[in-house]
């Protein structure tokens, strides 16, 4: 993060505790299907596979006062027994001239199979220099709005996990039979 007069920081965390009624014992095997799981977690039309374990995700445009922000996040997936971790490694902003060099987005997330379902956590953090176009708005108002935006992103992903991922898990189970 370049040294700038005013840095805004936003952070949001969401936890997941999702019971899976049918065949929860197969969840560790399902989580090994990395590309499939990542595709079920994130919108397929916004996701591009770069190479094994590496993805690009175009976040839907976010409106922050007069700014329309379009982050494109590079994600790295890592496997551990019964666990899938997804972390950001790089982020570009589209459509926001002048702040791309002073923008940093970090995502740390994990999903783990438990005997009765899935548990997980996602933490999303953004640091950006105070854009000139927003200088008249107090930093605390911008930070509160930014945190609200990040929480909205994480709640959307949490909703997808609760619906799309479980639906995909059941489809995978039926395909395996």
């Amino acid at each position: 993060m370049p040294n700038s007069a005013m840095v805004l920081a936003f952070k949001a965390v969401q936890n997941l505790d999702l019971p899976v009624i049918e065949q929860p014992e197969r969840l560790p095997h399902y989580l090994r299907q990395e590309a499939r799981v990542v595709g079920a977690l994130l919108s397929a039309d916004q996701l591009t596979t770069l190479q094994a374990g590496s993805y690009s995700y175009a976040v839907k445009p976010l409106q922050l006062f007069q700014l329309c922000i379009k982050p494109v996040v590079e994600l790295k997936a890592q496997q551990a027994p019964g666990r899938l971790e997804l972390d950001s490694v790089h982020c570009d902003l589209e459509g926001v001239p002048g702040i791309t060099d002073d923008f940093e987005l970090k995502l740390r997330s994990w999903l783990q199979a438990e005997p009765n379902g899935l548990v997980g956590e996602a933490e999303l953090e953004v640091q950006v220099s105070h854009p000139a176009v927003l200088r008249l708005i107090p930093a605390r108002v911008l930070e509160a709005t930014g945190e609200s935006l990040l929480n909205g992103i994480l709640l959307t992903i949490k909703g997808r996990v609760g619906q799309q991922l479980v639906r995909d898990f059941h489809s995978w189970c039926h395909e395996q039979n």
Side-chain angles (χ1 to χ4, degrees):
M1 170 72 47
N3 192 3
S4 57
M6 177 61 143
V7 174
L8 301 172
F10 322 124
K11 184 176 178 179
V13 178
Q14 280 291 323
N15 292 299
L16 176 75
D17 187 354
L18 182 67
V20 175
I21 309 303
E22 285 183 46
Q23 305 183 61
E25 71 282 355
R26 296 180 81 180
L27 285 167
H29 303 292
Y30 173 70
L31 289 180
R32 281 192 223 134
Q33 316 305 308
E34 175 194 295
R36 182 177 187 139
V37 174
V38 172
L41 284 172
L42 303 170
S43 272
D45 59 334
Q46 296 165 253
L47 186 68
T48 305
T49 302
L50 302 175
Q51 61 188 15
S54 185
Y55 305 88
S56 175
Y57 184 66
V59 178
K60 288 189 177 179
L62 306 167
Q63 192 71 38
L64 181 63
F65 299 100
Q66 296 97 332
L67 290 178
C68 183
I69 303 167
K70 300 176 194 168
V72 179
V73 184
E74 187 178 329
L75 300 166
K76 185 79 176 156
Q78 295 182 50
Q79 298 274 331
R83 182 177 173 111
L84 178 64
E85 298 176 6
L86 200 57
D87 299 310
S88 62
V89 291
H90 182 73
C91 181
D92 286 320
L93 286 183
E94 294 179 355
V96 188
I99 69 165
T100 16
D101 293 338
D102 296 340
F103 179 86
E104 189 178 310
L105 180 144
K106 290 181 186 173
L107 170 72
R108 288 176 293 283
S109 63
W110 56 270
L111 197 56
Q112 186 168 308
E114 294 288 323
N116 298 320
L118 292 167
V119 294
E121 182 179 274
E123 181 180 316
L124 192 54
E125 203 174 325
V126 169
Q127 286 189 0
V128 64
S129 61
H130 199 148
V133 70
L134 301 179
R135 288 265 157 79
L136 296 176
I137 300 169
R140 188 62 211 134
V141 171
L142 290 172
E143 288 175 350
T145 304
E147 287 170 3
S148 177
L149 277 173
L150 297 184
N151 269 312
I153 292 169
L154 292 181
L155 283 170
T156 299
I157 294 171
K158 184 176 181 176
R160 285 188 64 79
V161 172
Q163 296 173 4
Q164 178 64 27
L165 187 74
V166 171
R167 194 175 17 231
D168 187 67
F169 169 67
H170 289 129
S171 295
W172 177 80
C173 286
H174 293 297
E175 290 168 13
Q176 300 304 304
N177 291 337

